[in-house]
Amino acid sequence: MTSFHTPRVRRRRLGVAAAAAGLFATLLTAGPAIASPDPGDSPAEEKISSSQAAEVKAAIEQGEIPGVDEIVHSSNITHLANVPKDLIKGTNSDLAFQGNYAFTGNYDGFRIFDISNPKAPKTVAQVLCPGSQNDISVSGNLLFLSTDSSRSDNSCNSVAQSASIKESWEGMKVFDISDKRNPKYVAAVETACGSHTHTLVPKAKDVYIYVSSYGPSAAFPDCQPPHDGISIVKVPRKAPQKAALVKFEVLFPDGGNPGAPTNPGVSATSGCHDITVLPSKDLAAGACMGDGILMNIKNPEKPKVIDRVQDNVNFAFWHSATFNQGADKVVFTDELGGGGAATCNAEIGPNRGADGIYDIVGKGDKRKLVFRSYYKIPRHQANTENCVAHNGSLIPVKGRDIMVQSWYQGGVSVWDFTNSAKPKEIAFFERGPLSTESLVGGGTWSAYYYNGHIYSNDMVKGFDVLKLDDRLTDPAKRVRMHELNAQTQPDYVKDFRH
């Protein structure tokens, strides 16, 4: 393991290269569930040219990038633990937290860890329930999974089946996790075009779910164009088996960004990829393929778009969003290349496949999103490494805007955007490429800060725990949460007051 006192900037010019009877989950008894790069169904693997491979090897030999599987990090990061995949072999995806537990999604199901000792996470349960990408969240005694691949039915022993068949199923699954060692599958709700991601809007008696999906086709009976909005599901806490679709809410009555040929290189909007809500402020930010939106969600069944922005120069695919603590900024991510391409290099540059930082100006429903700057990790990656902005969360430091974020094989980056116009990295952790011969999909899918530590779900290498020691972020260690779903942001400002 190599430690660096400051994040390195690499100078080398690296190349681009429930059927009714089927609410059934298989609980794996040995301590664990492929999240593939968006929006595909399997990890990328593509041979590169011999000259490109030679360039990668030369960069490793010269110390410009770490070697295959070598771990490097800034001096203020400590790698406490890694837990490889176990019985569930698919690719790891998102994360959620509750008490002393971490819940890790995987295209083949999910795994529950006891993280009471962050240095030694222990597997509590592993549930086999295939259905990409198994985006995961928790609220009280309920766990929610997104299924975004067409299946033969809604059970956990379904098989892949064409979306052109009316009886095929995609959507939301609900589990009872009151017994963490024995999760019970209790409900399924089919949603149009499935559920690529989902976002919880928790209320006292019910949990609302904003379901994001895309990719409609006239050939798909349950995923018809136009698909210009989100599905809203309501789950009664005391009777989750009664979970049901409330409505499909149209967010883009004009169809959204048309994409090419009007806007070459930009995804046409046909739904949203991900939504982040700030319940304490009745706000939501949507990353919707070709559009970024700001919404008023005071009535969770009637989200109202109050502003909408596009970046047809540098943003290819609006992927996710994160509010700052003061609710006057949003960080949007651009998943250039769908998460399966090498985009962290000199050829792509610092503004594409990056974060876009937007200030929120004005009041009430007249608030507007105003672009301020881009942020991208300052270390070039090999042309065999998929790398682009991906999932992250705030690190709760009073008076500052600091975020930890995944970059696939670009690793984990901790960065400060207190000055919206001048974001700056303050810590990093990454592994070297999985291969010097092929672009093989991998790296960290999600990296979130929870109760004093950073937890990362690496698509290939497993579950990582990092400790961050830095004068800028140390105050966050005093903030303790009972629950964290990164796309349902807590009111950290309230925590600071108490």
Side-chain angles (χ1 to χ4, degrees):
M1 179 183 293
T2 302
S3 176
F4 297 94
H5 292 284
T6 57
R8 298 182 299 170
V9 179
R10 295 183 186 132
R11 304 297 182 183
R12 187 177 179 86
R13 182 180 172 84
L14 291 168
V16 182
L23 291 184
F24 173 77
T26 301
L27 184 65
L28 300 175
T29 55
I34 193 176
S36 61
D38 287 339
D41 289 328
S42 60
E45 184 163 357
E46 178 182 338
K47 289 290 286 186
I48 60 173
S49 69
S50 58
S51 61
Q52 288 176 318
E55 188 177 49
V56 173
K57 293 173 184 176
I60 292 173
E61 291 171 359
Q62 295 171 22
E64 294 175 346
I65 63 173
V68 172
D69 287 344
E70 179 188 359
I71 291 175
V72 297
H73 54 79
S74 52
S75 60
N76 50 4
I77 290 277
T78 303
H79 188 201
L80 295 182
N82 170 260
V83 185
K85 286 181 282 188
D86 187 15
L87 297 180
I88 297 178
K89 303 298 186 181
T91 307
N92 287 327
S93 58
D94 211 0
L95 294 166
F97 304 89
Q98 186 182 85
N100 288 325
Y101 297 96
F103 304 82
T104 67
N106 181 293
Y107 267 44
D108 287 346
F110 64 93
R111 186 174 182 178
I112 303 176
F113 287 102
D114 180 337
I115 54 171
S116 53
N117 179 2
K119 294 181 180 180
K122 296 180 180 179
T123 299
V124 173
Q126 300 180 82
V127 175
L128 179 65
C129 195
S132 61
Q133 57 188 8
N134 277 339
D135 194 46
I136 193 168
S137 60
V138 295
S139 183
N141 289 329
L142 300 177
L143 179 147
F144 307 89
L145 279 184
S146 286
T147 299
D148 191 36
S149 60
S150 186
R151 312 296 296 179
S152 56
D153 56 52
N154 65 3
S155 74
C156 282
N157 55 4
S158 67
V159 296
Q161 180 170 286
S162 173
S164 63
I165 300 173
K166 173 62 179 173
E167 291 73 24
S168 296
W169 186 90
E170 299 179 70
M172 290 301 308
K173 294 170 181 168
V174 184
F175 289 77
D176 184 321
I177 53 168
S178 51
D179 179 357
K180 302 293 190 295
R181 296 187 177 276
N182 189 28
K184 300 293 187 183
Y185 184 8
V186 296
V189 180
E190 186 171 17
T191 54
C193 301
S195 175
H196 192 71
T197 66
H198 69 268
T199 304
L200 304 187
V201 185
K203 298 295 182 180
K205 295 182 178 181
D206 305 296
V207 180
Y208 286 94
I209 309 175
Y210 290 167
V211 178
S212 296
S213 58
Y214 53 94
S217 169
F220 301 158
D222 299 317
C223 183
Q224 290 283 298
H227 183 74
D228 296 324
I230 58 173
S231 297
I232 301 177
V233 172
K234 182 178 180 180
V235 185
R237 291 187 182 276
K238 293 185 177 180
Q241 70 278 7
K242 295 182 180 180
L245 180 68
V246 174
K247 65 190 299 190
F248 183 86
E249 182 72 14
V250 174
L251 302 176
F252 300 97
D254 67 350
N257 196 320
T262 304
N263 297 315
V266 177
S267 293
T269 298
S270 62
C272 291
H273 179 276
D274 209 348
I275 292 171
T276 292
V277 297
L278 192 56
S280 63
K281 302 293 185 182
D282 293 326
L283 275 179
C288 302
M289 304 182 70
D291 294 89
I293 59 175
L294 188 67
M295 293 185 284
N296 180 330
I297 59 166
K298 187 171 185 179
N299 181 343
E301 294 189 15
K302 295 181 179 181
K304 177 184 178 183
V305 176
I306 58 177
D307 195 32
R308 171 179 155 195
V309 290
Q310 298 177 355
D311 180 346
N312 294 319
V313 175
N314 288 314
F315 259 49
F317 187 91
W318 295 69
H319 175 276
S320 53
T322 302
F323 287 100
N324 71 330
Q325 293 166 141
D328 57 7
K329 299 176 189 177
V330 180
V331 174
F332 288 103
T333 67
D334 171 26
E335 197 183 40
L336 175 68
T343 72
C344 297
N345 50 46
E347 280 76 4
I348 298 299
N351 298 338
R352 299 177 63 213
D355 296 315
I357 304 166
Y358 286 74
D359 285 351
I360 302 174
V361 300
K363 295 182 179 180
D365 286 355
K366 295 185 180 299
R367 283 171 284 191
K368 299 291 183 182
L369 293 163
V370 180
F371 173 78
R372 295 302 187 203
S373 67
Y374 298 105
Y375 170 75
K376 193 171 185 179
I377 57 173
R379 296 169 308 285
H380 290 157
Q381 304 297 305
N383 53 12
T384 57
E385 293 180 281
N386 59 308
C387 175
V388 76
H390 213 238
N391 294 346
S393 75
L394 291 183
I395 298 179
V397 178
K398 186 177 181 179
R400 301 200 72 88
D401 296 322
I402 301 176
M403 184 173 176
V404 59
Q405 186 177 7
S406 287
W407 289 77
Y408 287 117
Q409 287 192 69
V412 174
S413 177
V414 178
W415 58 288
D416 188 327
F417 62 104
T418 306
N419 182 339
S420 301
K422 295 183 178 180
K424 182 180 180 180
E425 184 173 74
I426 58 178
F428 74 95
F429 169 91
E430 69 165 292
R431 291 180 168 90
L434 291 167
S435 170
T436 59
E437 305 289 340
S438 301
L439 197 164
V440 180
T444 173
W445 180 283
S446 298
Y448 300 139
Y449 186 91
Y450 178 71
N451 290 352
H453 292 85
I454 293 170
Y455 297 89
S456 164
N457 212 17
D458 189 287
M459 295 166 64
V460 174
K461 297 299 182 180
F463 182 65
D464 288 304
V465 185
L466 309 176
K467 184 180 180 184
L468 175 63
D469 293 298
D470 191 281
R471 63 179 181 81
L472 286 178
T473 59
D474 283 347
K477 295 176 182 179
R478 297 192 293 269
V479 178
R480 314 302 287 184
M481 309 298 301
H482 173 64
E483 201 168 81
L484 177 66
N485 302 294
Q487 290 73 38
T488 305
Q489 287 191 215
D491 185 354
Y492 290 118
V493 175
K494 179 180 178 181
D495 292 325
F496 295 146
R497 290 196 296 267
H498 291 84

